[in-house]
Amino acid sequence: MALFGRGKNTKLTAEDPSVLGQPKDRRAEPDKSGYGRSQKGPFDASEADTDSGYVDLGSILVRPADGLQLRLELEEATQRVVAVTMDLNGSSLQLQAFAAPRSEGLWGEIRAQIAQSVASQGGTVEEAEGSFGTELLARLPADASGGSRSYRAARFMGVDGPRWFLRGVIGGPAAENREAAAPLEELFRHVVVDRGESPLPPRELLPLRIPADASPNDGGAAGTSVPQAPERGPEITHLG
């Protein structure tokens, strides 16, 4: 299910030196999240110590948890890794990180795109304030046996960071159950995004990789299952 397309009118301007590869401005950047992200997470690589206790997946680093399983998802056309999915207690949290302008956030515009896409598929969207600011609960029609009408729910969370945007999608029972979602929210809160210094246009997917020490029999700290190999995910969504 592709919810986003590449914007044909994306422009690189001198107002965004991070995009053009100009020297990085070390000035403190304003909080674009609206809820104090730098204190509450998710965090930028400059704000967190990830030398130990994290699984390094490239642009996204995650903190292990007991019973957590990690999956890397492939885009079929390009065979590149495009998403990290964290499975826990029968629900899931899909993560993707994107390049963003220094001067403004992306989440407001992206929420409107999600709502439009869901509506075009016959679904509904509710906007609410959550743990990470404004988020969306989408309900999409699902195939059902016996002719009964059913839907599948997905809870979209978006966080604007310094020159990056992180999108999380909760699926399964936790999408509509706040108590069940709490462990996934805690995982999302401790995600670290490593934007890097490469010049990238806004909405470009930040690169992901398989951990160097991943193997079929490896287990991560605290009972975490480390990704063994990428697979094509059931739902790959794109911003870039």
Side-chain angles (χ1 to χ4, degrees), residues 58-170:
S59 60
I60 292 177
L61 294 87
V62 300
R63 194 173 72 169
D66 189 28
L68 174 66
Q69 293 185 325
L70 299 177
R71 289 184 287 116
L72 301 181
E73 300 181 6
L74 283 178
E75 182 178 61
E76 188 173 24
T78 64
Q79 293 298 294
R80 66 170 176 164
V81 181
V82 294
V84 178
T85 295
M86 310 170 76
D87 295 318
L88 184 66
N89 300 332
S91 294
S92 64
L93 171 62
Q94 186 195 66
L95 301 171
Q96 289 179 299
F98 303 85
R102 183 187 298 273
S103 57
E104 60 184 5
L106 296 176
W107 183 219
E109 180 181 351
I110 290 168
R111 290 200 308 272
Q113 293 178 0
I114 294 172
Q116 182 178 11
S117 177
V118 171
S120 70
Q121 299 174 62
T124 62
V125 169
E126 296 179 11
E127 189 170 289
E129 288 301 310
S131 302
F132 306 96
T134 306
E135 56 187 47
L136 296 176
L137 176 62
R139 295 182 177 91
L140 287 159
D143 294 333
S145 60
S148 60
R149 187 171 184 177
S150 65
Y151 65 89
R152 53 191 173 90
R155 177 181 162 196
F156 288 81
M157 304 177 294
V159 175
D160 289 302
R163 301 185 303 129
W164 52 258
F165 169 76
L166 179 67
R167 194 223 60 188
V169 185
I170 294 179

